[in-house]
C-alpha cells in the first residue's frame, strides 16, 4: 500500500512536474514524527490505544514515504497533518483509557470504603445493641427498685397509717369533706384514700371490710339513714371498681345513730358526717359484730 | 486503510488521466460527507465544550471543502475534507478523554469524601 502510494505520489509529482525539489526538513512532518513518537514512548499506549497508534504510524509512514520520494511539499505537509492528527487522536484515546482505568480502580476503592463503612456500621449497631441490652438491664434494675419502693409503699398501706385501732378493729374514717353536702358522690380527694384501701385489701386477700355511712343529727332520720347508706355504697363501689371482690365488702347506712362528736356544735356535726371503714383481721374475722342502724 | 487506498486512487487517476480531465469526485463527495457526519457527532458529543480547537479546525476545513466542492473544484476539496475528518475524529477523541477525566476527578473526590466520612464515624 505504502509502495503503491509512494509510487502514485511520484507519478503525481512527475505528471504535474510541479515541485522539482523537496526540502529535507519539513516542520509539519517533524511535528507529526514527534507526535507519533510521543505516543509510542508511553508504555500503556499499545494496550489502551493500539488501534489508534497503528493508524498514526501508518499515516506517518505514508507522509515519510512521500517526503522520501520527493513528493510535492504541499502533499507531504498534508499527509503530515493527517499523521499528526492521528497521533493526537491516539494520545486522546490513551488518556481516555487511562481515566477509565482510574475510574475502575476508584470504583473498587469506593466499594472497599463502603464495605468497610458497612462493617463499621454493623459493628457499631452491634455495640448499640449491647448498649441497649445493658440499658435494658439497668432499667430492669431500676424497675426492681421501683417495685421495691412500691412494695414499701404497699407495706405502709398494709399498715394503714390513717386507720385507727379500735375495739372493733382497724377503722379508717373518710371525713365529711370527701362528699358534697347532701350528696353521695365522692369528691376526687377520696380517691387516694380508697386507692390505699384497695391496695391494702389486694395484698391481704382474706381481709374484709364493712363500710358504714354516718350523718349528723340534722334532718329526718329516714333521710339521714338513706344518705349515709348511699355514701357507704359510693365508697364500696370505688373499692369494687378497684378490683375488690363484692363478697369482701359490706356497706351499710347507719344514719345518725353512732355519733363520734357532739351534734350541738358545727364542728361536732362535721365530725359526725363520715364514712367509716372497719377492717377485719387478716383472717377475715371482725372483732365485733356489725352495727345495726 | 481504506482512506489511503482511496486516496492513492485519486492521484493515480489524476496522474494517468492527466490534468484537465474531469475526474469523478466520488472520493471527495465521500470524504466531505464523512467529515460532515463526524463534525456533527463531535458537536453532539460536546466537543464545543471539551475540544473547541479541534472542532473549529474541523468546521473550518469542512467549510473549505464544501465550498470548493460546490464550486466544482473537487480535487481541491479533497484535502480539506480529509483534514476535516481527522480534526473531527480528534475532537471526538479529545471530548471522550475530557469527559472520562472529569468523571474520574468526580469519582476520586467522592471516594475521598466517602473515606473522610467513614473515618469520622466510629
Amino acid at each position: 500500500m505504502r509502495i503503491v502510494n509512494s509510487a502514485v505520489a511520484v507519478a503525481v509529482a512527475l505528471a504535474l512536474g510541479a515541485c522539482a525539489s523537496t526540502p529535507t526538513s519539513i516542520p509539519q512532518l517533524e511535528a507529526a514524527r514527534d507526535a507519533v513518537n510521543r505516543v509510542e514512548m508511553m508504555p500503556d499506549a499499545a494496550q489502551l490505544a493500539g488501534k489508534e497508534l497503528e493508524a498514526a504510524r501508518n499515516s506517518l509512514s505514508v507522509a515519510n514515504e512521500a517526503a522520501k520520494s520527493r513528493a510535492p511539499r504541499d502533499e507531504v505537509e498534508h499527509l503530515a497533518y493527517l499523521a499528526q492528527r492521528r497521533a493526537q487522536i491516539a494520545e486522546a484515546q490513551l488518556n481516555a483509557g487511562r481515566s477509565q482505568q482510574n475510574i475502575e480502580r476508584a470504583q473498587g476503592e469506593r466499594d472497599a470504603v463502603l464495605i468497610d463503612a458497612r462493617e463499621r456500621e454493623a459493628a457499631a449497631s452491634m455495640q448499640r445493641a449491647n448498649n441497649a441490652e445493658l440499658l435494658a438491664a439497668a432499667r430492669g434494675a431500676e424497675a426492681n427498685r421501683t417495685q421495691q419502693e412500691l412494695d414499701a409503699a404497699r407495706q405502709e398501706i398494709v399498715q394503714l397509717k390513717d386507720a385507727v385501732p379500735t375495739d372493733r378493729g382497724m377503722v379508717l374514717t373518710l371525713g365529711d369533706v370527701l362528699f358534697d353536702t347532701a350528696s353521695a358522690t365522692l369528691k376526687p380527694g377520696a380517691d387516694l384514700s380508697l386507692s390505699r384501701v384497695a391496695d391494702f385489701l389486694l395484698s391481704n386477700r382474706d381481709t374484709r371490710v364493712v363500710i358504714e355511712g354516718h350523718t349528723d343529727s340534722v334532718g329526718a332520720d329516714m333521710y339521714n339513714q338513706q344518705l349515709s347508706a348511699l355514701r357507704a355504697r359510693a365508697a364500696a363501689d370505688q373499692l369494687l371498681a378497684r378490683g375488690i371482690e363484692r363478697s369482701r365488702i359490706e356497706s351499710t347506712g347507719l344514719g345518725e345513730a353512732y355519733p363520734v362528736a357532739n351534734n350541738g356544735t358545727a364542728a361536732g356535726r362535721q365530725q359526725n358526717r363520715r364514712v367509716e371503714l372497719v377492717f377485719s383481721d387478716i383472717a377475715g374475722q371482725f372483732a365485733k359484730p356489725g352495727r345495726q342502724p | 486503510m481504506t482512506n489511503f487506498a482511496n486516496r492513492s486512487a485519486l492521484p493515480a487517476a489524476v496522474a494517468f488521466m492527466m490534468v484537465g480531465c474531469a475526474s469523478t469526485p466520488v472520493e471527495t463527495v465521500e470524504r466531505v460527507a464523512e467529515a460532515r457526519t463526524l463534525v456533527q457527532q463531535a458537536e453532539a458529543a460536546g466537543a464545543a465544550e471539551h475540544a473547541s480547537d479541534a472542532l473549529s479546525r474541523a468546521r473550518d476545513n469542512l467549510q473549505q471543502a464544501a465550498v470548493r466542492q460546490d464550486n466544482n473544484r473537487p480535487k481541491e476539496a479533497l484535502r480539506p475534507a480529509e483534514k476535516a475528518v481527522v480534526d473531527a475524529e480528534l475532537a471526538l477523541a479529545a471530548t471522550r478523554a475530557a469527559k472520562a477525566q472529569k468523571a474520574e476527578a468526580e469519582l476520586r473526590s467522592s471516594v475521598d469524601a466517602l473515606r473522610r466520612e467513614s473515618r469520622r464515624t466510629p
Side-chain angles (χ1 to χ4, degrees), chain A residues 58 75 78 81 85-86, chain B residues 1 79 82 87 89 104:
Chain A
N58 287 337
E75 170 77 7
H78 174 67
Y81 182 99
R85 290 289 174 266
R86 292 267 162 227
Chain B
M1 275 312 169
R79 281 182 185 175
E82 286 174 340
D87 287 332
E89 278 186 36
E104 179 196 345

Side-chain angles (χ1 to χ4, degrees), chain A residues 1 4-5 8-9 11-12 15-16 54-55 58-59 62 72 74-79 81-82 85-86 88-89 91-93 95-100 102-107 109-110 113-114 116-117 120-121 124, chain B residues 1 3-5 7-12 14-16 18-19 57 61 78-80 82-87 89-91 93-94 96-97 99-104 107-108 110-112 114-115 118-122:
Chain A
M1 186 87 63
V4 171
N5 198 59
V8 165
V12 170
L16 297 176
E54 187 59 27
N58 287 337
S59 188
V62 172
D74 61 341
E75 170 77 7
V76 174
E77 279 178 343
H78 174 67
L79 294 172
Y81 182 99
L82 301 182
R85 290 289 174 266
R86 292 267 162 227
Q88 289 169 337
I89 289 165
E91 193 172 348
Q93 178 59 33
N95 287 334
R98 283 173 175 173
S99 287
Q100 194 53 46
N102 290 338
I103 284 170
E104 281 158 21
R105 202 171 299 133
Q107 281 168 339
E109 284 174 40
R110 184 187 57 189
V113 171
L114 285 175
D116 186 50
R120 283 167 194 246
E121 175 58 30
Chain B
M1 275 312 169
N3 285 1
F4 305 137
R7 188 166 54 235
S8 65
L10 185 65
V14 171
F16 293 113
M18 298 311 293
V19 184
R57 274 198 306 269
N61 281 321
L78 184 58
R79 281 182 185 175
E82 286 174 340
K83 283 190 167 84
V85 166
V86 288
D87 287 332
E89 278 186 36
L90 177 58
R96 274 198 293 269
K99 283 180 170 178
Q101 218 155 21
K102 199 172 163 221
E104 179 196 345
L107 182 61
R108 168 67 49 204
S110 90
V111 170
D112 288 346
L114 208 57
R115 190 171 280 133
S118 159
R119 282 205 193 99
R120 225 192 339 263
T121 54

